[in-house]
Amino acid sequence: MMKKYFFFLLFSFSVICFGQIYKTIDTADYAQRKDFIKNYSLNNELLIKDLKAKYSGKTGNELSKIYKEVGKDFEKQVKNKGFVFNSVFDAKVKNLLERLRKNNPQIPQNLKILIAKDNTPNAYCFADGTFVINMGLFNWLNNDDQLAAVISHELGHKITEHTLKTFLKLINQDQLDKLVVQSIKSTKENRNQRAFDVLKNRVYKKGTENRKQEMQADSLGYAVFKNSDFKKEEFINTLKRLEDFDTISPRTLKVETYKKFFNLPKQEFNDKWLKQEDFSLYNYNHFNDKLNKDSLKSHPEVTMRINHLKKLFPELKNEVKDEKASESYAVLEKIARMETLPNFYYAEDYGVGIYASLQFLQDGEEEKYYKSWLGKCFSKIYEARKNYNLNRYLDRVDPKNQSESYQQFLNFMWNLSLDEIKNIADYYQKES
């Protein structure tokens, strides 16, 4: 009991003192990464061997190729330090899994937890039992129950082997498409249109299958979730919370914020930096879409998913407010929030990183910490501008798909000269 009490005090102290001592989570864990990759590679080889024994001929060979490629890509991500090992998040996820497994013996025992340096609130599970939880889930969701709901949904995918079924359908569809292509080649009439129709039908069919799988994972995931000791209504609250997620925060960045943080001793603020391009004369509806965007969506609308669940499980019709976060979850939520900028930096999203830093600074959060990230991100933007590849790290203005605040920010960034960017980068790097 004394150890647990000390552990909580230690965490509480670290949260209170973030402004002075917070350091980003260390990913320089070479030995652990090497050990993980070795075990993952061996497990993937065994999986491929089992699949080839189960599925003979071309199907087995194609599955083997797919899982080898998936394995190589995942190993590359691990080598590039995209994940953290033995972090403060692991114990929480393992605890939630044990609570889910208590009355659900169908949950696999060989699940291995891995935390990804990704701000997107998402999770996924590989065929070998590697369960990946994005750090963004801790920052975006409100409590233990909601995190358990996401894990339950992914377990629904795992238990029903949705990934394997998707690969099998793709392989079968490939073989059917080859026959159709041969038929198209044998005639000269409407070749282009017929070929496009084949592509369109395939894409639509894939979207339909994916949406169906999401609904199944919701249903099975909730069945797992309600057998545990979590509050049932939080499953619906989780879906609502995820519906609100936006990669680029919709919060408005005020003009005063630009003037406060970019009026520097050796470089006064220039109002011309905020000048915006006039897009009112652009006709964005000039071209008709050849593909129906709704048919391309792989996930059904959240409202549809919620209504489907309420129809299957009447007890979910009663809506309740989100449960308050436990003390242990609040600690992890704070850490995940502090890791937002390191994660953007790791993903090379330097433009979004600057925008997020300014929003944190506007709200008066951890000024010294976020100013240091301003310096780091501006330094990368300077290098990109100097090397003529800024488009890789900074979005272009897109009035149809961006908030006015983010458009204003992008205009500001593109209006800065190379020397002006360097001056900002140097100032904030010296500050930190």
Side-chain angles (χ1 to χ4, degrees):
M1 184 68 185
M2 191 66 183
K3 285 184 178 179
K4 286 185 179 179
Y5 181 66
F6 175 75
F7 184 67
F8 172 70
L9 279 179
L10 183 65
F11 264 132
S12 300
F13 178 77
S14 66
V15 171
I16 293 167
C17 299
F18 268 167
Q20 291 78 33
I21 64 170
Y22 184 77
K23 291 184 179 180
T24 57
I25 294 174
D26 184 19
T27 58
D29 33 30
Y30 175 76
Q32 291 179 60
R33 277 188 288 120
K34 185 178 179 181
D35 186 52
F36 174 85
I37 291 170
K38 181 182 177 181
N39 291 327
Y40 175 80
S41 181
L42 288 172
N43 289 334
N44 203 41
E45 286 177 14
L46 290 172
L47 173 66
I48 291 169
K49 187 177 179 181
D50 289 342
L51 288 171
K52 290 190 79 172
K54 188 175 180 179
Y55 300 95
S56 59
K58 287 185 178 180
T59 301
N61 289 331
E62 289 299 318
L63 280 175
S64 175
K65 289 178 185 178
I66 290 171
Y67 277 97
K68 279 180 182 177
E69 287 301 316
V70 170
K72 283 181 182 178
D73 182 66
F74 183 57
E75 286 179 29
K76 184 178 179 182
Q77 291 179 49
V78 177
K79 287 177 182 177
N80 288 340
K81 302 181 182 181
F83 303 90
V84 294
F85 295 88
N86 291 341
S87 69
V88 291
F89 302 102
D90 290 30
K92 171 64 72 178
V93 177
K94 288 175 182 175
N95 173 260
L96 295 178
L97 273 170
E98 286 307 311
R99 287 170 66 182
L100 288 168
R101 189 180 280 124
K102 190 173 182 181
N103 296 320
N104 294 287
Q106 73 273 33
I107 296 177
Q109 293 288 332
N110 64 335
L111 297 177
K112 295 175 286 297
I113 309 304
L114 206 53
I115 307 297
K117 287 179 61 61
D118 191 324
N119 293 324
T120 310
N122 197 13
Y124 51 95
C125 191
F126 285 96
D128 76 314
T130 300
F131 209 113
V132 178
I133 306 288
N134 285 359
M135 214 176 282
L137 275 171
F138 294 89
N139 186 24
W140 192 251
L141 300 180
N142 293 324
N143 53 52
D144 292 350
D145 296 55
Q146 292 183 7
L147 182 58
V150 172
I151 293 172
S152 298
H153 172 89
E154 294 306 319
L155 286 171
H157 283 303
K158 170 68 177 169
I159 293 166
T160 51
E161 296 188 315
H162 276 158
T163 303
L164 175 59
K165 290 175 182 176
T166 299
F167 290 156
L168 287 170
K169 285 176 182 176
L170 285 173
I171 292 167
N172 292 332
Q173 191 63 47
D174 275 338
Q175 293 171 356
L176 290 172
D177 287 349
K178 285 177 183 177
L179 295 174
V180 176
V181 169
Q182 287 174 4
S183 173
I184 292 172
K185 285 181 178 179
S186 66
T187 59
K188 293 183 179 180
E189 295 180 3
N190 298 324
R191 279 187 177 181
N192 290 339
Q193 184 59 46
R194 289 175 67 193
F196 180 75
D197 287 342
V198 171
L199 170 65
K200 182 172 68 173
N201 291 334
R202 180 168 186 176
V203 171
Y204 288 175
K205 189 174 180 180
K206 184 171 181 282
T208 302
E209 289 295 331
N210 286 345
R211 289 194 294 274
K212 190 185 295 183
Q213 287 186 354
E214 289 302 314
M215 300 283 246
Q216 289 174 350
D218 278 343
S219 303
L220 183 54
Y222 175 67
V224 168
F225 185 80
K226 77 170 187 174
N227 283 342
S228 308
D229 59 348
F230 300 103
K231 193 169 184 178
K232 297 179 179 66
E233 293 83 1
E234 285 292 356
F235 202 89
I236 297 294
N237 289 342
T238 305
L239 288 173
K240 290 179 179 177
R241 184 69 183 139
L242 293 175
E243 185 180 30
D244 293 338
F245 176 74
D246 192 341
T247 308
I248 310 297
S249 172
R251 285 182 300 158
T252 300
L253 204 57
K254 300 174 185 175
V255 171
E256 292 77 15
T257 301
Y258 290 97
K259 292 183 177 181
K260 178 179 179 180
F261 293 102
F262 298 116
N263 186 30
L264 309 181
K266 295 182 180 180
Q267 181 172 281
E268 291 186 2
F269 187 85
N270 189 338
D271 288 326
K272 290 182 180 179
W273 292 341
L274 294 176
K275 184 180 178 181
Q276 297 192 60
E277 187 174 348
D278 183 11
F279 291 93
S280 62
L281 299 177
Y282 285 54
N283 182 4
Y284 287 96
N285 298 313
H286 182 69
F287 299 102
N288 293 322
D289 290 330
K290 286 194 171 186
L291 293 173
N292 183 333
K293 291 180 181 177
D294 287 335
S295 298
L296 296 174
K297 291 179 180 177
S298 61
H299 285 53
E301 296 294 341
V302 171
T303 303
M304 189 188 301
R305 291 170 65 182
I306 290 173
N307 290 338
H308 179 69
L309 282 168
K310 287 181 177 180
K311 188 176 180 180
L312 291 176
F313 306 99
E315 70 269 21
L316 291 176
K317 290 180 180 178
N318 299 321
E319 297 187 7
V320 297
K321 291 183 178 180
D322 294 10
E323 284 283 298
K324 185 179 179 181
S326 63
E327 291 175 335
S328 61
Y329 188 89
V331 169
L332 298 179
E333 188 177 17
K334 175 69 174 179
I335 295 171
R337 188 173 177 82
M338 297 295 283
E339 290 293 323
T340 300
L341 264 297
N343 292 344
F344 277 138
Y345 192 82
Y346 166 79
E348 298 185 339
D349 288 330
Y350 306 125
V352 179
I354 292 170
Y355 189 67
S357 293
L358 288 170
Q359 288 186 326
F360 284 126
L361 288 166
Q362 181 174 269
D363 293 342
E365 293 191 40
E366 310 290 348
E367 188 165 302
K368 187 174 181 180
Y369 180 73
Y370 290 112
K371 279 183 176 180
S372 73
W373 283 107
L374 267 185
K376 291 174 184 177
C377 289
F378 261 103
S379 179
K380 289 294 185 180
I381 290 292
Y382 168 71
E383 290 176 18
R385 183 71 173 267
K386 187 171 63 173
N387 295 323
Y388 302 99
N389 61 356
L390 186 55
N391 280 309
R392 285 180 57 187
Y393 311 106
L394 184 66
D395 293 333
R396 283 288 186 180
V397 177
D398 181 2
K400 285 187 72 177
N401 299 303
Q402 294 166 344
S403 68
E404 289 185 14
S405 178
Y406 190 57
Q407 289 176 56
Q408 173 72 83
F409 166 75
L410 293 175
N411 275 289
F412 167 78
M413 292 296 294
W414 284 104
N415 287 337
L416 293 170
S417 70
L418 183 66
D419 287 341
E420 288 165 344
I421 293 171
K422 187 177 188 303
N423 289 338
I424 294 171
D426 288 347
Y427 175 79
Y428 278 108
Q429 284 189 310
K430 287 176 183 176
E431 275 260 305
S432 63

